[in-house]
């Protein structure tokens, strides 16, 4: 892989990257698009009670505001990544922006639940085109090790903190404007990004000889949709529900058939050579496990702050601000500076250990816990750990990829995020509700104490689930330590330098 990485970066540095001063402005455009996509995974969470009341949604159907987006996004990412490789990354980037803005406008103007659910699914579909195009444009634009570290530091900070920023922005828009602005806000962002993309971004010529792997699309995307849908339905139905089991079994069977087909497909949707690289596979698995833990934190802290502590939407959103600041600091100020000098796993492993320590601190939560002394330290540790992890994960997972595969590789990394988020939300929520019910049953002896026992039971369920989230981040640390063996860019250059020096 060292030869592939080195050989691929030399032509780029002598061409576009060395002479184009606009590449950093291009990064701003890419960052705007990435922030918009990540924001929409959480920005409507805090607005959901208002939207439910306004559109007369049932409690059973309200989950589709979230699930419709993640289902379309996670299920169609591989297709979106390959389309970006075949049709051109800049072209699909712009199409994704325009489509995402249009779907957001439809959702903001929704007159009923069905219209909102459909708009959210359409948002997810265009996000599946937009996200891999953005990451692959970043991958092919920045190949110099030092500049790559800075660029991926910014990208990793947005990927990690975007969900937390979504809570803040969602709270502000819901309280001071209207829940509909949680969707309308994407329109001006997308317009700015489209104008910037048209003037600042460059792309390699698209491949005219390539063909789309239609059987691969049906098998791969069908399998991912079934599994993501299964996790979303496991929350309200239970893990042993026949529909949930059927979705998991059918999804797994489709993915097995997908892998078998990719071995012999003339133009595979996901070339398996991408996953045979140990560093890339380890980084993708680390990402999925890390996001399980992170989504567990978001899910329970949102409810804890608003339901148990009685925070307003704005106050609950602002409570996540230290987490966002810590992620940005860990990614742009620490990881981006160190990745040039140290191997990626020396950032990933400590990062996941810090995140796990932050989650473990949260297991001490009680009904009357103090934000400043019991919650804030946990958020800071969690954020710093995620910042140290996400940046080297994105950089390592996309390093050394041939330009023709950069889109589908980027889609695979994004798929790991979405699958991890779905698993984290469904699995940890099921654990929390089960533990809460068991606690209330065991401790409710006097009907007069019902309110206090139920509150204590809810918090107990949160802490049990957070222990599982901490376990996921510990497993991520172990995965990164065992599988990711890549050296730092400086070590790779040093390993080749002595030969040159001895000749001169």
């Amino acid at each position: 892989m060292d030869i592939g990485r080195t050989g691929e970066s030399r032509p780029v540095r002598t061409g576009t990257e060395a002479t184009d001063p606009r590449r950093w402005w291009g990064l701003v455009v890419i960052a705007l698009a990435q922030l918009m996509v990540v924001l929409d995974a959480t920005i409507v969470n805090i607005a959901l009670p208002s939207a439910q009341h306004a559109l007369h949604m049932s409690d059973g159907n309200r989950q589709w505001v979230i699930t419709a987006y993640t289902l379309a996004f996670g299920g169609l990412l591989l297709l979106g990544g390959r389309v970006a490789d075949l049709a051109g990354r800049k072209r699909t980037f712009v199409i994704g922006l325009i489509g995402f803005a249009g779907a957001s406008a439809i959702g903001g103007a929704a007159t009923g639940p069905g219209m909102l659910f459909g708009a959210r699914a359409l948002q997810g579909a265009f996000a599946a085109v937009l996200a891999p195009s953005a990451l692959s444009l970043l991958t092919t634009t920045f190949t110099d090790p030092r500049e790559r570290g800075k660029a991926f530091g910014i990208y990793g900070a947005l990927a990690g903190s975007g969900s937390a920023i979504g809570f803040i922005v969602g709270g502000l828009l819901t309280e001071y404007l209207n829940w509909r602005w949680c969707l309308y806000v994407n329109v001006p962002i997308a317009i700015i990004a489209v104008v910037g993309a048209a003037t600042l971004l460059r792309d390699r010529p698209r491949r005219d000889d390539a063909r789309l792997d239609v059987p691969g699309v049906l098998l791969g995307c069908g399998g991912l949709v079934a599994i993501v849908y299964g996790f979303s339905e496991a929350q309200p139905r239970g893990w042993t529900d026949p529909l949930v089991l059927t979705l998991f079994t059918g999804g797994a069977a489709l993915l097995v058939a997908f892998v078998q087909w990719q071995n012999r497909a003339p133009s595979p949707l996901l070339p398996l050579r991408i996953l045979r690289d140990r560093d890339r596979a380890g980084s993708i698995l680390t990402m999925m496990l890390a996001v399980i833990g992170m989504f567990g934190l978001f899910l329970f802290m949102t409810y804890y702050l608003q339901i148990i502590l009685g925070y307003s939407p704005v106050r609950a959103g602002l409570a996540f601000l230290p987490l966002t600041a810590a992620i940005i600091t860990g990614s742009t100020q620490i990881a981006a500076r160190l990745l040039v000098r140290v191997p990626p796993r020396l950032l990933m492993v400590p990062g996941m250990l810090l995140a796990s320590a932050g989650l473990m601190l949260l297991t001490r939560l009680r009904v009357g816990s103090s934000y400043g002394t019991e919650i804030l330290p946990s958020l800071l540790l969690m954020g710093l750990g995620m910042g140290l992890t996400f940046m080297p994960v994105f950089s390592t997972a996309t390093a050394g990829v041939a330009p023709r595969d950069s889109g589908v590789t980027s889609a695979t990394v994004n798929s790991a995020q979405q699958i991890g988020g779905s698993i984290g939300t469904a699995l940890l929520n099921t654990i929390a509700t089960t533990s809460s019910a068991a606690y209330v049953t065991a401790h409710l002896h006097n009907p007069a104490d019902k309110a206090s026992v139920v509150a204590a039971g809810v918090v107990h369920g949160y802490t049990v689930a957070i222990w599982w989230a901490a376990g996921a981040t510990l497993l991520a640390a172990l995965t990164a330590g065992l599988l990711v063996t890549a050296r730092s860019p400086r070590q790779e250059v040093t390993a080749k330098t002595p030969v040159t020096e001895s000749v001169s």
Side-chain angles (χ1 to χ4, degrees):
M1 289 301 299
D2 294 340
I3 295 173
R5 287 173 184 153
T6 307
E8 188 181 342
S9 61
R10 283 175 180 165
V12 181
R13 285 199 303 271
T14 58
T16 303
E17 187 175 314
T19 57
D20 186 6
R22 301 180 302 173
R23 62 189 180 280
W24 291 105
W25 285 107
L27 174 61
V28 173
V29 174
I30 295 170
L32 266 179
Q34 173 65 15
L35 180 61
M36 185 176 66
V37 168
V38 178
L39 275 177
D40 264 70
T42 56
I43 194 171
V44 298
N45 284 36
I46 291 180
L48 186 54
S50 300
Q52 181 181 0
H53 176 74
L55 299 181
H56 308 291
M57 290 182 224
S58 67
D59 288 344
N61 286 335
R62 66 184 177 185
Q63 63 153 330
W64 283 104
V65 176
I66 310 298
T67 305
Y69 181 79
T70 58
L71 184 62
F73 191 7
L76 298 175
L77 267 167
L78 282 180
L79 174 60
R82 183 47 86 191
V83 168
D85 287 332
L86 300 182
R89 286 169 283 274
K90 180 177 175 179
R91 177 182 298 179
T92 52
F93 182 79
V94 172
I95 291 172
L97 283 169
I98 295 171
F100 197 91
S104 299
I106 293 171
T111 57
M115 186 175 176
L116 180 58
F117 300 157
R120 289 288 286 168
L122 197 59
Q123 274 187 310
F126 281 107
V129 173
L130 179 58
S133 300
L135 183 53
S136 58
L137 279 169
L138 184 68
T139 301
T140 55
T141 299
F142 294 94
T143 56
D144 177 81
R146 190 172 298 276
E147 290 195 345
R148 183 181 176 88
K150 293 178 182 178
F152 273 87
I154 296 170
Y155 187 90
L158 289 173
S161 63
S163 297
I165 295 173
F167 289 119
I168 300 170
V169 176
L172 290 169
L173 292 174
T174 301
E175 189 152 326
Y176 295 114
L177 290 175
N178 185 284
W179 67 268
R180 297 180 184 275
W181 279 97
C182 292
L183 295 161
Y184 286 145
V185 71
N186 293 318
V187 176
I189 295 175
I191 291 173
I192 294 171
V194 167
V195 173
T199 56
L200 298 171
L201 295 181
R202 293 186 179 183
D203 191 17
R204 291 185 174 92
R206 66 186 182 93
R207 298 171 61 197
D208 294 324
D209 60 333
R211 297 292 181 268
L212 188 62
D213 176 18
V214 176
V217 170
L218 297 176
L219 293 172
C221 295
L224 285 175
V225 166
I227 288 177
V228 174
Y229 184 32
F231 277 114
S232 68
E233 287 297 302
Q235 178 179 338
R237 294 174 178 268
W239 293 94
T240 58
D241 183 83
L243 175 62
V244 174
L245 294 176
T246 300
L247 287 168
F248 284 147
T249 304
L254 286 172
L255 290 180
V256 169
F258 170 75
V259 172
Q260 293 176 341
W261 169 250
Q262 295 306 284
N263 275 321
R264 52 192 178 89
S267 300
L269 178 66
L270 175 60
L272 296 183
R273 61 180 176 271
I274 292 173
L275 298 179
R276 291 192 182 107
D277 179 79
R278 177 173 177 168
D279 296 326
R280 186 169 299 115
S283 297
I284 290 171
L285 185 55
T286 299
M287 169 63 79
M288 186 175 70
L289 292 168
V291 173
I292 289 176
M294 186 175 72
F295 267 63
L297 173 74
F298 289 157
L299 176 68
F300 301 122
M301 287 312 301
T302 301
Y303 279 95
Y304 179 82
L305 293 171
Q306 293 191 71
I307 304 301
I308 303 300
L309 297 187
Y311 282 22
S312 68
V314 169
R315 192 179 178 189
L318 292 175
F320 284 98
L321 190 58
L323 173 73
T324 303
I327 292 175
I328 293 173
T329 300
S331 184
T332 62
Q333 300 302 313
I334 302 176
R337 296 171 184 266
L338 292 179
L339 187 60
V340 179
R341 302 179 177 88
V342 302
R345 66 176 172 181
L346 292 187
L347 295 171
M348 296 180 195
V349 174
M352 284 294 90
L353 292 177
L354 281 174
S356 185
L359 287 167
M360 289 179 185
L361 285 178
L362 280 179
T363 61
R364 304 178 304 163
L365 280 180
R366 299 294 180 267
V367 173
S369 291
S370 166
Y371 176 83
T373 58
E374 298 178 75
I375 298 174
L376 180 59
S378 303
L379 295 179
L380 291 174
L381 284 174
M382 183 78 175
L384 188 61
M386 289 296 174
L388 286 174
T389 302
F390 282 156
M391 182 266 168
V393 162
F394 280 118
S395 180
T396 306
T398 56
V401 179
R404 68 180 184 276
D405 293 330
S406 62
V408 73
T409 303
S410 303
T412 306
V413 180
N414 279 287
S415 293
Q417 284 183 281
Q418 295 303 311
I419 293 170
S422 298
I423 294 173
T425 301
L427 174 63
L428 297 177
N429 190 64
T430 301
I431 292 171
T433 53
T434 304
S435 301
S436 296
Y439 181 94
V440 172
T441 301
H443 291 80
L444 185 58
H445 306 297
N446 185 352
D449 300 330
K450 182 176 181 180
S452 60
V453 172
V454 169
V458 169
V459 176
H460 172 75
Y462 293 167
T463 59
V464 172
I466 289 171
W467 273 114
W468 283 80
T473 53
L474 283 175
L475 189 56
L478 182 63
T479 300
L482 294 178
L483 294 183
V484 181
T485 59
R487 295 180 294 181
S488 69
R490 178 171 293 182
Q491 288 173 322
E492 291 182 355
V493 172
T494 304
K496 298 174 177 59
T497 306
V499 177
T500 306
E501 290 176 348
S502 63
V503 173
S504 20

